[in-house]
Amino acid sequence: AVQPDGAVLLGGQFTSVSGTPRTRVARLSVNGSLDLAFNPGTGADADVYAVAVQADGAVLVGGAFANFNGIPAGRVVRLATDGSVDATFATGSGANGPVRSIAVLVDGRIVIAGEFTSFNGVAVPRITRLNANGAVDVTFNPGAGADNTIYSVAASTNGSVVVGGAFTTFGGLTKNGITRINLD
């Protein structure tokens, strides 16, 4: 993900950047060097698949991890601009499977998608929308959702979301890997 100032956030399977320990999350300065001011501590305990930036500079990270910097994270976490875990992002137990993609909507809400079927104990069909505080937005109802993994979500300026993945149906309709869902 690219921040407004041009810094680049990385996520993946790596354990160091240019010889400096950075476990699966790092930030590069505009000149491409590791930004030492962004320190995610011990990072994620499993792969990171998604990184997104909120308007305030906070960083959303999703993946297969259960813990981030030694703190239970439920496969999605928000980091402050310095890389520390934001404890105010209260996701509870989080997703019961990997989070593959994250999109930040213009109103600040967050769409996450992946392989999960529940989030903080709420049944969700591989996609859900979170409020800015990390709680499931119960006004978002994708019906039956996707019948298989969602690998990508992209937010439109009108609030709709385009999703892509290995699914053949979404909401009970044949969609063969791509569909657009409305704000609700």
Side-chain angles (χ1 to χ4, degrees), residues 103 130 148:
L130 305 177
N148 205 334

Side-chain angles (χ1 to χ4, degrees), residues 62-76:
F65 55 89
N67 298 288
F68 196 96
N69 197 19
I71 299 168
R75 298 174 184 86
V76 64

Side-chain angles (χ1 to χ4, degrees), residues 123 125 127-129 137-145 170-171 181-184:
I127 187 168
T128 193
R129 186 170 63 202
D137 180 353
V138 296
T139 67
F140 182 76
N141 182 4
F170 194 100
I181 56 177
N182 293 319
L183 182 62
D184 62 354

